[in-house]
Amino acid sequence: MITIKNLHANIEDKAILKGLNLEVKAGEVHAIMGPNGAGKSTLASILAGKEDYEITEGSVSFDGEDLLEMETEDRAREGLFLAFQYPVEIPGVSNINFLRTAINEKREHLGEDPISAKDFMALVREKSKLVELDAKLASRSVNEGFSGGEKKRNEIFQMAMLEPKLAILDETDSGLDIDALRIVANGVNTLKSDNNATIVITHYQRLLDYIVPDFVHVLYDGRIVKSGPKELALELEEKGYDWIKEELVEA
Amino acid sequence: MATYTEDDLAKDLEGKEYEFGFTTDIESDKAPKGLNEDIIRFISAKKEEPEWMLEFRLDAYRTWLEMTEPEWAHVRYDKPDFQDITYYAAPKQSKKYESWDDVDPEMKETMSKLGISMEEQKRLTGVAVDFVMDSVSVATSFKAKLKELGIIFCSFSEAVQEYPELVQKYMGTVVPKQDNFYAALNSAVFTDGSFCYIPKGVRCPMELSTYFRINESGTGQFERTLVVADKGSYVSYLEGCTAPQRDENQLHAAVVELIALDDAEIKYSTVQNWFPGDKEGKGGVFNFVTKRGMCHTNSKISWTQVETGSAVTWKYPSCVLKGDNSIGEFYSVAVTNNFQQADTGTKMIHIGKNTKSTIISKGISAGQSQNSYRGLVQIHKNAENARNFSQCDSLLMTDRCGAHTFPYIECKNSTAKIEHEATTSKIGEDQIFYCLQRGIDEEKAISLIVNGYAKEVLNQLPMEFAVEAQKLLTISLEGSVG
Ligand SMILES: Nc1ncnc2c1ncn2[C@@H]1O[C@H](COP(=O)(O)OP(=O)(O)O)[C@@H](O)[C@H]1O
Ligand SMILES: [Mg+2]
């Protein structure tokens, strides 16, 4: 699905990613953990195509294509989805209108006809149920006046509507109470299939009780410094990141 | 000065090749450049006007001579040379059109280039259109249907001939000819415009619409609109404006007067798309307009405007809330891009008791443009329980543009309640990135964001106009983020 090789990236001449490697295959769930400031959101933004970064080295292939050469909107249309750590508000633009535009842009890109109003509304009903999103929120302006938890649920709702190949969830768990966490996790698990993959970025183990990863990676100082099975998350929770640091110093 | 003969005129009629835009090749019946009493007599004579009309003009002209151009607006421009303007240019067509089918095909072509498909409009929406080209009304449709209801909807010139008592009774009562520099100029030299009268208790069954267009090079456009809604009547009036590209500045100085008698309601919507000048700020229309409505008891006047065009705009559609319980509304979206300058807003004059006004202004500035909101809320001594709510928002698309807000409040009655809210925001890179990440390209993203921002105002427009306005917003802001 996605192969990241030796990725180096700067922002304003400051190196943030320093040789990051990661491979995610279809059907897999990967968790990326790491302390604040390690570069997790940077990685997510670069994959999604945010322009503020300078890529100095490395390559990313997505479904066999050179991801770094693709336009931001084309990455999305080809099935890359980012659930934002801080979803933005777009006043006056209804969620419905926003999503319909997004879906039709994707369909046009794939050479398909626009979705009919009837099919679209059916889809909205089905997917909003999945994340227990109030029907009222679906017709309100994008994220405007939403609580933190509602914004996160709205991200997963959008993800469900767009059915991406690769979803990157950037700290979707932060700010969620246990019920909301369960709902979000349930949404992600339901959407999981052999044809798609998920990267879950978090720095709490908690979410991984609900979304069970196939692999856990530790991102530290711009690199994946340790990878392992789901149990690695528990170990991190117990020992903290200092343990990793010490290991690195010893090595 | 000698009067001009047909021969003199002929010299001015030589067709010109235009570099920009498109122009309709209808021989113009054009006055020589310049302004003096003879020119005014010429215009009046051309239009076969009654004596009182000529007197009104001359009186306005003499007042104008004593006046100086206003300089308080937050705009900068080279003042027009009033002796270098042609004040009368009529398409050289003597016959009047009985029906839409009679209209010159070339003129229809012009209209379709404007993106106004009359046929389409008529078919889909039943809009009655009065089309004013270089200030002379050339086609009025749906007249018969309106006539049945006693509604008068015709060119201003026709009204002067056919309904002189109505024109005389109301013209200049809301915007007196000495009101301001440009209103005085308009009163002296206006060549045409639209007139509309809705009789007592009649609800006009269709949107009445006028399209204005400046065609002839070097011409100013001075049209006048007068809408009178008699007691208990209702009318929704649409005004669209457009001009071809020219590298010179053209002057547009219109006067619009609305009169809502007791219990009447007038909804007046404008989509203004005069040529804004090129990317370097060359050319474009100077849009200096006086629009005002008079509200009698229990009446309501609502102005909605979407302003995307013109190099310089100077315009304050206002309401005089004279009657008790009357309501004034102003909904505005003003977009400026490149080197455009807009100084626009409203005046709400509360005179009667329990009068209410609402002001929603949304400015959008891009490029290096300057966008100002200027509004006055005035509560008179006897205006018990007057209410005003104002909201003025500014959206900046770049770091080089300017947004300014000048709210003035004058309150002479302590029972008044006045609320004012203002915000300024910059279009977010993060909002655009959010859209891009969902597969929506930048142009569509800007369109979504801007239309969302302007939604409260766009919602006030009649349906078919709203769609057009949305497209216009998008077009005017193409490639404008930075
Ligand atoms: N726009 C920016 N300008 C300068 N530094 C930035 C910017 N964005 C992120 N950084 C820096 O990059 C590093 C990684 O940040 P981030 O990817 O947000 O970390 P994480 O998501 O792992 O907490 C931090 O040191 C942060 O300060
Ligand atoms: Mg982060």
Side-chain angles (χ1 to χ4, degrees), chain A residues 11-12 14-17 33-45 50 52-53 85-86 170-171 201 203 219:
Chain A
I11 186 156
E12 292 159 5
K14 183 181 161 199
I16 312 279
L17 298 187
M33 304 182 71
N36 267 330
K40 302 184 297 294
S41 292
T42 303
L43 174 65
S45 299
K50 198 164 167 93
D52 308 353
Y53 305 92
Q85 183 171 1
Y86 304 107
D170 191 0
E171 308 233 6
I201 295 173
H203 63 255
L219 203 169

Side-chain angles (χ1 to χ4, degrees), chain A residues 50 72-73 76-77 80-82 84 88-89 91-93 98 102 105 143 155 158, chain B residues 429-431 433-442 444 448-449 451-453 455:
Chain A
K50 198 164 167 93
T72 306
E73 62 270 31
R77 294 165 183 168
L80 188 146
F81 182 92
L82 171 60
F84 286 80
V88 301
E89 303 187 358
V93 179
F98 180 73
E105 290 279 284
N143 293 325
E155 292 293 287
Q158 292 186 23
Chain B
E429 297 274 338
D430 50 348
Q431 284 176 326
F433 180 62
Y434 192 79
C435 294
L436 290 174
Q437 209 303 303
R438 298 300 186 248
I440 301 168
D441 66 30
E442 178 161 316
K444 281 217 177 70
L448 270 178
I449 295 166
N451 280 300
Y453 165 78
K455 194 177 179 179

Side-chain angles (χ1 to χ4, degrees), chain B residues 398-412:
Chain B
T398 65
D399 295 324
R400 289 160 298 150
C401 57
H404 317 273
T405 308
F406 305 100
Y408 305 94
I409 295 168
E410 293 168 15
C411 184
K412 297 216 172 80

Side-chain angles (χ1 to χ4, degrees), chain B residues 360-381:
Chain B
I360 308 285
S361 162
K362 304 267 179 180
I364 301 168
S365 341
Q368 308 185 37
S369 66
Q370 295 294 327
N371 201 324
S372 304
Y373 166 81
R374 187 181 304 276
L376 169 67
V377 176
Q378 196 179 60
I379 314 281
H380 284 225
K381 209 167 72 235

